[in-house]
Amino acid sequence: MISSVIKKALALAWALFILACGAYLAWRLPTASIESSIFALLPERNQDPAVREAGAALRSELERRFLVLVAHADPEKAVLAAEAYAARLRASGSMQEVACAIPATGVGRMLDFYEPHRYALLSAEDREALERDSGSLYDAAQRTLYLPPGVSGSLGFRKDPFGTWGRWLSSRSGASAGLTLRNGHLTAEVDGKTAVAVLGTLGPRGRGMQAQNLLSARFDSAGRAAEAVPGATVLRSGFVFHELLAARQAHKEMTSIGTVSAVLLIVLMLLAFRGIWPTLLGFLPVVIGCMAATAILLWAGGGKVHLIAMVFGSTIVGVAEDYGMLFIAGLYEDKPWDGRRRLLDVQRSIFLGLLTSVLGYLALFFVPIPGLRQIGLFSIAGLVASWATVMLWYPWLGTRLKPVGAGVRRAAEAMERRWPKVHGGYATGLALTGLLAFSLWGCLRMRVDDDVRLLYAHDLRLQQEQDKIMSVLRMPGGGRFFLVRGKDGQQVLEREEKLLAAMAAADSAGSTAVGVSAFVPSRSRQAGDSALLRSAFEGAGGTGARLARDLGAPELETDLRKDLEKNSRPVTVAQWLADPVSAPFRYLWRGPPDGLGDGAVATVVPVPAAMRLGMEPLRALAKNADPDIVLVDQIQDVSDTLAFLRRHLVWVLCIGSGIVLAALILLFRKRAWGAVAPAALGVGAGLGSLGWSGLPVNLFALLALALILGMGIDYGIFVQESRRQRQRAAALVAINMGAASNMLAFGMLVFSTTPALKAFGLVLAVGLGVAWLTAPCFAVSNEEEGFANGS
Amino acid sequence: MKSLPFAGSLCLGLGLILNFNPSLGAEAAKAPLADRLASPPILSGRFTQEKRIVGLKKPLISTGDFLVVRDKGVIWRTQKPFAAAVAVTRKGIWSLKRTGADLKREPIHQGNLGAAMDMIQKVLAGDPASLAKAFSVTKESEVGGGGGWSLELKPLDPVVARVILSILLQGSKHVDRVEYSETNGDKTRIDFAGVADNAGELGSWQADAFRD
């Protein structure tokens, strides 16, 4: 009586706690900062904040931008099609900017901005010529005077007597990525066709599937508008296209794979337990576990959670499904249903299952990696909450259930009886030996690959379009960039100038690299350039005097000198940042927005995709330019992080397995091997299947192993704990249903087109399948061992 | 990453003056003229150029010769008032100095000049079919009786239009005269003479000047 009151109170308290968790989530989750950068899983010491911030800034900038080439054999039609594409996108309202033609006003703005600084800016060729021979300034002026307009590169004798300004501006177009301006359109040649560029920047957009579908539809519609011009082809390049494609693929898989597995799951549960209520009871512990774990993780992180920890954690909490399954599998017992009694029967099994899982996942705390600890916290909190849900609520929730019919029950018993047993003959032993050989042989063929790109669905056509664009244009790509740091802006610009020169010297594509110093040379460079110009101009034999004499215009020397003095003020980063001309390149500046101040100043120099240098030559190049320049490869960094986590997870799994094994030996003594074997065989077969399939071993495959370990051990325990034959039939039903539903939920991922998910699905399907099929083989009946009847 | 230095930028615009190409635009409306003009693989001749620069009292007069090689480039050699030669190729502008058989080629400006070269060639070769795509023809008239013609062009490209106001072409079989009016008031008039389509081989120094 008293204990019943306490139980009621506990169930109520648990309900209140779960309600509180739900309320907390409803209040906190919408405003929570959900971290999705993989780097945030790493320990602080492995991260350089400046590198991380620069990388994030570069990413967020480049992720918004895209370039589309609309090609047609007829240049005029290419323009028409490109205009149609751009107009359709512009009308959609999703874009911040879509440019197909260069407006004259923009060019004017550029000229106006640099005009007062024009004698402080020299192209590399002009600087070299002047350093070699100050008389070259005179030659340059002669060319302006005597060559037909345009040929010398000068913008006209009045404003650009030496042509230096025009040539400096023109050499900035190295930053134009290989596009040529024709009649106001940016064009390139692709396979003998004229391609007109459409450059865009995405406007702010919502998250989630709906926003992605909308954007997808808009790009498709623009593509149709362009292709309405017969013969026009569209080549796309930009992160957004990959993202949309991956989202579309994920959506397709979710609706196909997801729907199929959900329908099969429900049909299976309804068939097995003859009702919706038992089905709900089977899944409830997982739902409650995930909810409580999310709330606890969010609370522990002070409103910050990591997406990956949540996803991984929820997957692991899926193990808790076994608890609910074992409970309702009692419907297969040959006695009238009594929920409370059923709970008494299975509470030891469930508790042992929980205990071993928690002990195993405790190993996640042994490695000093915050991300793995978060996963550990989530998993343990979730499993405990699932267990508590079964223990505290099911005496009440599980009262009004109806046992399955006698026919079904007998079928289950027959299945258990006929299930091959290890001690039942050679055949089973032989089959298990074969399984071991398969696993071992497969393990020898295993291949590790941590490439983050395995996480993305790959689309051949999009990749081809992108490669084509990359081969024609010279753009930053591959996620590689240099981070140039210094004590102040000037030092950074000086270092960057050295770096850009080294890049240009090392690889012809390197000359298209952009940096802030390409638009605002360092003060020392500008001072040096204007001094070069002036010293060549001044003096008796100087260019000024010679021109005046040649042209018979003595006042010309004075006029030009005044002009020179007036317009050689250095341009500053602050001026550049404040002017619209810098807008497309501002993200390269990682310092105070006013361009002043000292301390944390850095610039980003993206490595052009066409630069064929490997990491080592690039690193050496940076080091030669300045030891403080670092090379960052974002894709490699993410892959390295995945590898780092994978290596640690291997240790976690080993330590966890060791702990679990020790616990099982303590609990089951001689019979421990029967509890361990299904999980061990499952893990071996899972790994072996990866070796055979050629799919790579990576972090995600290991996660599947953690899941197989957790469930496999549960199955072993359930079988070992149920000594009477009829109990074993119920245990087998629980195992069948648990394994089948997990295989439907996760194992179906083997049909995914994303390589990492496919590997995960395969390991899970094979490993869990093996653990499921072998667990009942190790059953030992009490009759044989001479145990007294437990109930 | 698959992104780009944002070319929507103006900065791009600044291939400027040099990087524009007349081969894009409205289909040639002036086919009859094209028929009358030859566009040979090699074209050479002499020129006399008169430049009037605002603020300078005297016009600048120069004479020399030129060589246009289709798809290769242009050599513009001034002989008077001083000797100097430049080559414009797809890869840039070069100053040429010849001593005997040796050619010294120094870069004045490097960069993708394919379009600029095209434009210079076409103006010199007087290919109005192509020119009509980069310029709007504002005036066209027959001159004299022997098939002479004149053409006034205004640049369609907004970037070019910032510098060049108009170009006047006169000729019969070849272009005989080009007159540039720049937005800053400068005017340049070039008269061609002795223009011939030499189908012959390029001299070795000329081939050297065009190497890219």
Side-chain angles (χ1 to χ4, degrees), chain A residues 166 179 181 218 281 321 346 356 410 552 678 757:
Chain A
L179 289 163
L181 191 64
R218 283 174 175 167
L281 286 186
E321 195 192 22
V346 297
T356 49
R410 275 197 290 276
L757 289 183

Side-chain angles (χ1 to χ4, degrees), chain A residues 545-743:
Chain A
R546 285 174 76 186
L547 281 177
R549 199 175 53 232
D550 284 355
L551 299 171
E555 74 288 353
L556 186 70
E557 190 185 351
T558 334
D559 288 354
L560 282 176
R561 178 181 298 115
K562 272 190 202 150
D563 194 40
L564 215 75
E565 275 165 12
K566 210 177 120 210
N567 295 299
S568 56
R569 274 170 293 150
V571 57
T572 63
V573 173
Q575 288 167 334
W576 182 70
L577 288 175
D579 195 278
V581 294
S582 67
F585 297 103
R586 263 175 218 154
Y587 70 96
L588 298 173
W589 178 259
R590 308 294 309 146
D594 59 358
L596 304 166
D598 18 49
V601 174
T603 58
V604 173
V605 178
V607 178
M611 262 188 107
R612 297 283 172 223
L613 295 186
M615 286 304 276
E616 275 320 305
L618 281 176
R619 206 169 275 134
L621 184 151
K623 203 167 189 122
N624 286 342
D626 194 281
D628 277 353
I629 298 174
V630 290
L631 174 65
V632 182
D633 182 338
Q634 293 184 285
I635 292 184
Q636 193 55 47
D637 283 357
V638 174
S639 302
D640 287 348
T641 302
L642 291 177
F644 177 84
L645 294 172
R646 169 185 53 78
R647 281 193 299 273
H648 283 81
L649 203 56
V650 169
W651 284 112
V652 166
L653 286 175
C654 290
I655 297 170
S657 311
I659 298 174
V660 172
L661 188 64
L664 287 175
I665 289 173
L666 276 176
L667 289 163
F668 290 97
R669 310 273 168 195
K670 252 168 57 190
R671 286 188 300 128
W673 71 278
V676 172
L681 288 169
V683 167
L687 282 176
S689 68
L690 280 185
W692 283 106
S693 68
L695 285 168
V697 176
N698 57 26
L699 187 62
F700 304 92
L702 291 189
L703 179 73
L705 290 187
L707 214 56
I708 296 169
L709 267 180
M711 295 191 177
I713 298 226
D714 280 358
Y715 301 160
I717 290 173
F718 293 174
V719 169
Q720 298 304 316
E721 276 292 297
S722 46
R723 288 163 207 155
R724 283 191 313 113
Q725 211 264 326
R726 275 175 187 153
Q727 277 182 328
R728 283 211 303 274
L732 183 61
V733 168
I735 293 169
N736 284 347
M737 296 313 294
S741 54
N742 268 304
M743 286 181 70

Side-chain angles (χ1 to χ4, degrees), chain B:
Chain B
M1 268 289 355
K2 23 270 170 172
S3 220
L4 38 141
F6 195 45
S9 121
L10 320 172
C11 133
L12 238 197
L14 301 170
L16 217 54
I17 319 320
L18 285 178
N19 289 1
F20 72 96
N21 184 334
S23 70
L24 255 181
E27 193 49 57
K30 305 301 161 196
L33 274 181
D35 293 345
R36 276 176 253 170
L37 280 159
S39 182
I42 300 179
L43 193 73
S44 67
R46 294 188 310 280
F47 69 83
T48 303
Q49 177 183 269
E50 186 185 300
K51 220 173 195 185
R52 291 179 180 274
I53 290 174
V54 177
L56 296 182
K57 285 176 214 123
K58 280 188 278 180
L60 303 166
I61 298 167
S62 57
T63 56
D65 54 24
F66 70 93
L67 174 74
V68 181
V69 180
R70 203 160 63 196
D71 299 330
K72 286 283 187 184
V74 177
I75 295 176
W76 189 265
R77 187 160 63 165
T78 309
Q79 285 155 331
K80 275 177 183 172
F82 55 87
V86 293
V88 182
T89 72
R90 291 185 183 280
K91 292 283 171 69
I93 308 170
W94 317 83
S95 114
L96 308 173
K97 287 189 180 109
R98 248 177 101 199
T99 42
D102 280 350
L103 178 79
K104 217 172 131 205
R105 198 173 84 144
E106 276 168 5
I108 292 168
H109 180 74
Q110 282 170 303
N112 175 17
L113 288 182
M117 193 200 75
D118 243 26
M119 179 261 180
I120 295 163
Q121 278 190 1
K122 277 170 182 152
V123 170
L124 292 180
D127 177 356
S130 306
L131 287 173
K133 295 175 186 174
F135 298 89
S136 62
V137 179
T138 46
K139 241 184 261 168
E140 188 192 348
S141 50
E142 299 282 321
V143 178
W149 48 266
S150 86
L151 214 55
E152 194 191 58
L153 309 167
K154 285 203 194 301
L156 293 170
D157 189 313
V159 182
V160 180
R162 255 193 92 96
V163 179
I164 291 177
L165 203 61
S166 67
I167 298 178
L168 186 73
L169 293 172
Q170 279 178 29
S172 53
K173 191 185 174 210
H174 298 294
V175 177
D176 298 328
R177 173 180 283 181
V178 181
E179 281 183 44
Y180 294 92
S181 300
E182 293 177 51
T183 49
N184 61 11
D186 293 354
K187 289 194 191 313
T188 306
R189 194 179 78 204
I190 308 172
D191 287 301
F192 298 105
V195 178
D197 334 347
N198 341 26
E201 293 281 300
L202 278 187
S204 73
W205 76 271
Q206 291 158 331
D208 201 23
F210 288 134
R211 89 189 119 90
D212 266 337

Side-chain angles (χ1 to χ4, degrees), chain A residues 13 32 60 131 191 305 359 399 414 447 478 502 569 587:
Chain A
S60 73
E131 278 167 351
D191 298 339
V305 280
L359 284 175
T399 45
R447 173 177 71 86
R569 274 170 293 150
Y587 70 96

